[in-house]
Amino acid sequence: MIFFFIILSVINLLVFLNLQKLSKFINIYDTPDKKLKLHKKKMPILGGIILFINLIPIIFYQIFFLGDILSININQLNFIEITSTLILILGYFFLGLFDDKFNLSPNKKLLFSLIISLLAILLNEQLSIKMMSLSFFENKIFFKNTSYIFSIFCILVLVNALNFYDGINGQSCIIFIVFFSYLFFKSDLNYFYLLIVYSILFVFLLNIYNKTFLGDSGIYFLSVILSICLIYEHNIQQNIIYADEIFLLLLLPGVDLVRLTIFRILNNQNAFNGDRNHIHHLVIKKLSLKNTNIILFLLSVIPITLFSYIQLHFLQVFIVFLILYSLIIFFSKKNF
């Protein structure tokens, strides 16, 4: 593992020293429009590229040199199953990259996401969620013939919720650090998740200091890796037993997505069109970037901490979170 940290450190040092050259070579920028994008100057979107450079060599090294993928022995998988996982990761990364470059319509992104997810799951049974357990329900829920539909739905919701959630510097990097740090403590794949967190931290620093944005390529790339990890930790490693554990881990971006969707529909707006009513947009009007990110960090860790470590009942955790979330929204909108 130390070898990987040294390699990643060298790679990221080279990236940092050649950031301007890399920006010009990639030539993907986010230009302010004074409506949704209020940053002062055009910003390079390199977050996804940097994460790709960091993590893809590790994934390929696992497969072709260590003979496993997410600790599953390659001998237990066939070539098509391995390929399907790479299709899912690379497909979403390049979809995000094309969106950063050409600003694809929401319908096109949804269509391509659906195709990529369907292809990968049809080729790989390991990615299919066939049953789930709930901490507050005695019987297991089996999906049978609907497992493919449910699995695709879960991936699409996770990716889109995290894409919706992105909006201010550092915000998405922080929540991904929370997710993969939690998996670090839950799983036997400590080194893998630690390397992911290490890579995200580098992008986080660049983002905080206005050197680059994470972009859709970064969001999609990390989201689909997270999706695969959660499914494998549930299906194969069995480190995550209850579905509500995953639900609470993703509660903040999920609730914000639902609130915004309902708000837009009630106001006769397109649910996919962007606005500045996200929780981070509301809070940052009142507080600094640093304090906004601290509040969002606490909101993201409170539910899973109460559930997994304090061991409160799911419903208790859900109610506590909704109260905190609602209070923050209320006071952010209140004029004092």
Side-chain angles (χ1 to χ4, degrees):
M1 185 173 72
I2 296 175
F3 169 75
F4 278 128
F5 276 108
I6 294 171
I7 293 296
L8 291 186
S9 298
V10 172
I11 289 172
N12 289 329
L13 178 61
L14 292 173
V15 167
F16 180 74
L17 293 175
N18 295 278
L19 203 59
Q20 294 289 345
K21 293 180 181 178
L22 185 60
S23 299
K24 291 179 181 178
F25 177 75
I26 300 299
N27 195 29
I28 301 178
Y29 292 90
D30 193 314
T31 305
D33 58 11
K34 305 304 178 184
K35 294 178 182 178
L36 297 178
K37 304 175 181 182
L38 302 182
H39 44 283
K40 297 179 180 180
K41 60 179 182 179
K42 71 174 186 177
M43 288 285 292
I45 305 177
L46 297 175
I49 298 288
I50 295 169
L51 289 167
F52 186 86
I53 293 170
N54 273 249
L55 299 179
I56 282 296
I58 296 170
I59 294 171
F60 273 88
Y61 181 81
Q62 275 195 309
I63 295 172
F64 296 109
F65 291 93
L66 299 183
D68 67 47
I69 180 168
L70 292 177
S71 82
I72 303 170
N73 194 291
I74 291 299
N75 295 327
Q76 298 174 13
L77 301 173
N78 58 44
F79 176 77
I80 293 178
E81 287 174 328
I82 298 167
T83 303
S84 70
T85 304
L86 294 177
I87 286 172
L88 197 58
I89 295 172
L90 297 176
Y92 269 95
F93 168 73
F94 285 109
L95 174 61
L97 196 63
F98 270 81
D99 188 35
D100 287 335
K101 181 69 175 178
F102 301 108
N103 194 23
L104 301 176
S105 70
N107 290 335
K108 286 182 179 178
K109 286 190 286 187
L110 183 60
L111 176 61
F112 286 124
S113 298
L114 184 61
I115 292 170
I116 294 165
S117 302
L118 179 61
L119 179 61
I121 290 174
L122 286 175
L123 292 173
N124 189 352
E125 285 285 324
Q126 305 281 10
L127 293 171
S128 177
I129 305 168
K130 300 189 182 318
M131 71 88 182
M132 71 177 186
S133 300
L134 299 170
S135 63
F136 52 86
F137 188 64
E138 205 171 295
N139 299 321
K140 293 181 179 179
I141 301 170
F142 292 89
F143 296 105
K144 297 181 180 178
N145 296 330
T146 62
S147 63
Y148 292 114
I149 297 172
F150 181 73
S151 303
I152 292 169
F153 171 78
C154 288
I155 293 173
L156 291 179
V157 168
L158 187 149
V159 171
N160 282 284
L162 291 172
N163 195 37
F164 265 58
Y165 179 73
D166 185 46
I168 61 173
N169 283 2
Q171 172 194 359
S172 288
C173 287
I174 288 172
I175 202 165
F176 277 116
I177 288 171
V178 170
F179 294 154
F180 287 109
S181 295
Y182 181 72
L183 290 175
F184 167 80
F185 289 108
K186 289 285 292 187
S187 174
D188 300 326
L189 301 173
N190 312 76
Y191 76 94
F192 180 70
Y193 295 127
L194 197 59
L195 288 168
I196 293 177
V197 170
Y198 183 68
S199 300
I200 298 171
L201 277 171
F202 176 66
V203 177
F204 170 74
L205 292 173
L206 293 178
N207 188 205
I208 284 291
Y209 288 103
N210 284 310
K211 299 297 183 181
T212 186
F213 284 164
L214 188 57
D216 283 352
S217 57
I219 298 290
Y220 280 26
F221 186 56
L222 290 175
S223 296
V224 78
I225 290 176
L226 178 64
S227 299
I228 294 168
C229 291
L230 290 173
I231 292 171
Y232 277 22
E233 292 291 353
H234 176 267
N235 282 355
I236 310 299
Q237 309 300 331
Q238 297 182 348
N239 291 316
I240 295 179
I241 300 172
Y242 299 118
D244 37 328
E245 185 176 353
I246 299 174
F247 179 83
L248 292 175
L249 185 65
L250 303 168
L251 193 55
L252 175 56
V255 168
D256 209 47
L257 171 64
V258 171
R259 177 183 66 85
L260 283 169
T261 301
I262 293 172
F263 176 83
R264 291 169 185 173
I265 291 173
L266 291 177
N267 287 275
N268 297 315
Q269 299 172 2
N270 188 326
F272 294 105
N273 285 344
D275 57 35
R276 296 191 63 80
N277 288 311
H278 295 256
I279 185 170
H280 44 273
H281 291 137
L282 298 176
V283 175
I284 205 168
K285 290 178 181 178
K286 303 287 186 180
L287 303 174
S288 65
L289 174 66
K290 178 183 175 181
N291 289 333
T292 299
N293 275 323
I294 289 172
I295 287 175
L296 295 176
F297 167 75
L298 292 174
L299 264 183
S300 66
V301 299
I302 284 172
I304 198 62
T305 302
L306 292 177
F307 181 77
S308 294
Y309 300 107
I310 309 298
Q311 297 187 336
L312 291 184
H313 188 275
F314 168 80
L315 189 58
Q316 292 174 313
V317 177
F318 189 62
I319 291 171
V320 168
F321 175 83
L322 286 183
I323 291 171
L324 291 174
Y325 178 87
S326 301
L327 286 173
I328 290 170
I329 295 294
F330 174 77
F331 284 110
S332 297
K333 289 184 174 182
K334 191 79 173 174
N335 292 321
F336 294 102

